[in-house]
Amino acid sequence: MFSPAASPTSSPVCSPVRSTSKASKISKQLTTQLDPDLLRAVSLDRALTGWGRHWETPDNGMFNVDPKNYDLSQPIESLDVFLSHDWASSGKQKFLSLLIVYNSRAAFLACLVISVLVGVLRGYRVLPDEGWTVVIGHGSYLLVFLFWQRLRTLVCRPLMVFLDKLCVAQHNEELKQKGIEGIAAFLLSSRQLMVLLTPRGPL
């Protein structure tokens, strides 16, 4: 009599072998080396332009990207952040999430400084002691929250990020395949990994 563990047809014994074989096959297709011209990044302020238009998926999940969008990215030796996400999820939600992560701290500090300054100016009668002056602080928060990445480029270098839609060629199948197979190279060249997690899970 054979026990289930000893049975040659037992699925618990066979399944791991198939999974390992499949994973090994996929890993062989990936590479940690990529042509310097294909290792590209886009500045975060450009990735956030158009109120999140670069985060929306056209044509039911199929990329139909203007080749000019590829020119928004540039060859680079290292990236600041690798952005991982799910294309089937809401682009607006991802856009808002990135604003919260990367802009909210600067917006809070700007609002704090401006609000204190407004209070001092009201105390010295430079500004009228009226309620509408409070809006100045709120307005500064909104302004910095929406445009901080663009504002910071005036004083320091922009954050360079990986966004597959802009950093992997979508208009050329050969370049696209090389970019997909070189995802590991993008990851290894990134200082941080940002996963935009949704109920569907990250990409």
Side-chain angles (χ1 to χ4, degrees):
M1 180 179 292
F2 293 98
S3 67
S7 173
T9 59
S10 176
S11 58
V13 175
C14 298
S15 295
V17 176
R18 289 196 299 268
S19 299
T20 303
S21 176
K22 183 178 180 181
S24 177
K25 183 177 180 181
I26 293 175
S27 64
K28 289 180 180 178
Q29 296 175 350
L30 302 179
T31 176
T32 58
Q33 301 295 325
L34 199 60
D35 293 341
D37 290 340
L38 297 182
L39 185 64
R40 303 173 70 92
V42 61
S43 61
L44 183 56
D45 63 297
R46 286 186 174 181
L48 295 175
T49 57
W51 305 102
R53 64 185 176 89
H54 293 308
W55 296 89
E56 298 290 350
T57 306
D59 300 338
N60 297 322
M62 297 299 294
F63 285 137
N64 183 20
V65 181
D66 188 338
K68 293 181 180 179
N69 285 348
Y70 187 60
D71 294 333
L72 295 176
S73 63
Q74 63 188 59
I76 198 169
E77 293 183 359
S78 63
L79 299 87
D80 293 307
V81 187
F82 183 103
L83 298 175
S84 177
H85 64 106
D86 174 14
W87 277 114
S89 300
S90 168
K92 298 301 181 185
Q93 289 182 358
K94 289 178 283 189
F95 172 70
L96 180 59
S97 297
L98 289 171
L99 291 183
I100 293 173
V101 171
Y102 290 106
N103 291 4
S104 60
R105 181 180 180 182
F108 167 76
L109 293 175
C111 179
L112 177 63
V113 171
I114 295 297
S115 296
V116 170
L117 180 60
V118 168
V120 171
L121 293 178
R122 286 175 61 174
Y124 281 96
R125 306 298 181 182
V126 177
L127 288 177
D129 190 15
E130 298 180 6
W132 66 264
T133 57
V134 177
V135 178
I136 299 176
H138 297 165
S140 66
Y141 181 92
L142 186 61
L143 178 66
V144 176
F145 181 74
L146 294 175
F147 302 108
W148 171 240
Q149 293 306 315
R150 187 171 298 180
L151 293 172
R152 76 187 298 273
T153 60
L154 300 176
V155 294
C156 58
R157 75 171 185 84
L159 286 175
M160 301 303 294
V161 303
F162 172 82
L163 173 58
D164 49 0
K165 187 177 180 180
L166 302 180
C167 299
V168 175
Q170 306 297 326
H171 60 284
N172 183 300
E173 286 300 323
E174 182 180 356
L175 295 179
K176 180 178 180 179
Q177 187 62 32
K178 288 182 178 180
I180 293 173
E181 293 176 355
I183 288 295
F186 286 104
L187 277 168
L188 290 175
S189 300
S190 302
R191 296 185 179 90
Q192 293 181 349
L193 170 63
M194 170 66 67
V195 180
L196 299 176
L197 191 62
T198 69
R200 296 176 56 89
L203 182 63

